[in-house]
Amino acid sequence: MHNPEQQPAWQRDFGSRLQQLRTESALTQEQLASASGLDRTYIAGVERGRRNPTLVTIRRLAMTLDISPADFFERP
């Protein structure tokens, strides 16, 4: 079993922020994945802080959500 506490705090924070922005956009994980060309399980892993997205993926997610990549790193 993978312990989420072993993941860096910034990685968990990024995942939480992605989930917040996705839900504010009224998208499911499946819809975000489809629109961004990613797999739903990848989106779920990022949101749980278990996956570490590349800059290319962050940009792709931002474009899909119609936000700036910087928005992922701003405190709500």
Side-chain angles (χ1 to χ4, degrees), residues 36-56:
S36 61
L38 299 167
D39 190 86
R40 187 207 54 83
T41 59
Y42 181 81
I43 299 293
V46 172
E47 287 186 358
R48 286 192 310 269
R50 293 186 176 181
R51 301 295 303 255
N52 186 14
T54 65
L55 291 173
V56 171

Side-chain angles (χ1 to χ4, degrees), residues 3-61:
N3 183 355
E5 293 302 317
Q6 293 176 335
Q7 301 303 325
W10 62 265
Q11 196 167 322
R12 292 189 310 271
D13 291 346
F14 182 89
S16 294
R17 183 72 171 142
L18 172 59
Q19 183 177 32
Q20 176 189 15
L21 292 166
R22 175 183 58 76
T23 56
E24 286 175 2
S25 295
L27 294 173
T28 65
Q29 288 180 347
E30 184 72 36
Q31 290 167 328
L32 178 59
S34 177
S36 61
L38 299 167
D39 190 86
R40 187 207 54 83
T41 59
Y42 181 81
I43 299 293
V46 172
E47 287 186 358
R48 286 192 310 269
R50 293 186 176 181
R51 301 295 303 255
N52 186 14
T54 65
L55 291 173
V56 171
T57 300
I58 291 170
R59 184 171 184 274
R60 182 186 292 184
L61 290 167

